[in-house]
């Protein structure tokens, strides 16, 4: 029975990693120039006072 559990866990792990590797990227590479006028690390603009 222990071998069955090991096989199920291994197949699940391979399915998760395989899905991650073949799925297209939803984002794009971020460069420091994208945040040139931002105050926050998330890129939010600076509030005008």
């Amino acid at each position: 029975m222990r071998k069955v559990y090991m096989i199920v866990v291994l197949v699940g792990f391979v399915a998760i990693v395989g899905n991650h590797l073949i799925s297209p990227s939803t984002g794009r590479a971020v460069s420091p120039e994208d945040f040139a006028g931002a105050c926050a690390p998330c890129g939010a603009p600076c509030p005008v006072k």
Side-chain angles (χ1 to χ4, degrees):
M1 195 65 166
R2 188 177 292 177
K3 289 183 181 181
V4 173
Y5 290 134
M6 289 174 50
I7 291 172
V8 168
V9 169
L10 184 62
V11 167
F13 181 76
V14 168
I16 291 170
V17 171
N19 183 31
H20 172 71
L21 292 177
I22 65 171
S23 63
S25 175
T26 57
R28 62 177 179 83
V30 178
S31 66
E33 291 88 24
D34 291 342
F35 302 113
C39 290
C42 65
C46 294
V48 178
K49 291 184 178 182

